[in-house]
Amino acid sequence: AIVVTSVLLGFSLPVFAVEGDVIINEVMWMGSNAVSDADEWIELRNRTADAIDLAGWTIDGAGSGSNAITITSGVIPAGGYFLIGNYASSSSAISDEIIVDFVVPGISLANGGEVLTLRDATKGVVDVSPTGAWENSNNNSSPVGQRNSLERNDAPGTGTAWSDWHVCIDIGCNDTTFWDMEGVDYGT
């Protein structure tokens, strides 16, 4: 169950997640060029008008050996984002202005791709990524050292098709708005 706080009533009510309420919005599966291959992160997006408690949620396939990682605490704001990373912002190539909401030094995303399954605390499936290699994403190819995250489209679809995703290639995605220094790492 998801717990949301009712501003009008002043107390928490259990609400059940439905598929698509929270989505896997962006994946930096190859780490950063500036720090290390382990500088990996996953961003979640709340598509509802309620804050959602993520305590007990898991992401299957995001841990070492394709195991699950568990979010032990954290709330994703209404219409907001929740960043899960191997490192805190101060240790990552991510700009120190961007807060890593939950640090879990067990994120290990296979470079050959894998299915990520987001589950709520009751183990119900909330979102799933596509099967197979990280489609059209970049890891140290052209130009040398460039790394591009995979982002969900504005119209996110079910997430299970590569057509629901795109590679972060916009020139603004590598500047100091998102990174400690402008360079070859692309992501938002």
Side-chain angles (χ1 to χ4, degrees), residues 96-156:
D96 291 343
E97 302 300 315
I98 296 174
I99 302 299
V100 176
D101 298 293
F102 187 74
V103 177
V104 56
I107 292 178
S108 181
L109 303 170
N111 287 354
E114 59 199 308
V115 175
L116 301 177
T117 304
L118 178 65
R119 297 180 185 274
D120 66 18
T122 68
K123 303 302 175 216
V125 174
V126 180
D127 195 35
V128 179
S129 72
T131 302
W134 301 110
E135 186 82 3
N136 298 319
S137 196
N138 195 357
N139 182 21
N140 285 321
S141 57
S142 179
V144 173
Q146 184 167 318
R147 297 181 182 200
N148 304 75
S149 71
L150 277 174
E151 297 178 322
R152 198 71 164 267
N153 296 340
D154 287 338

Side-chain angles (χ1 to χ4, degrees), residues 4-7 21 46-52 76-80:
V4 298
T5 302
S6 171
V7 176
D21 280 354
N46 182 351
R47 299 181 64 226
T48 74
D50 296 304
I52 298 174
I76 185 170

Side-chain angles (χ1 to χ4, degrees), residues 16-41:
F16 293 96
V18 296
E19 213 166 326
D21 280 354
V22 177
I23 62 170
I24 301 165
N25 195 60
E26 188 171 7
V27 179
M28 192 70 169
W29 59 268
M30 76 300 287
S32 68
N33 189 54
V35 172
S36 83
D37 293 344
D39 192 13
E40 298 176 340
W41 44 264

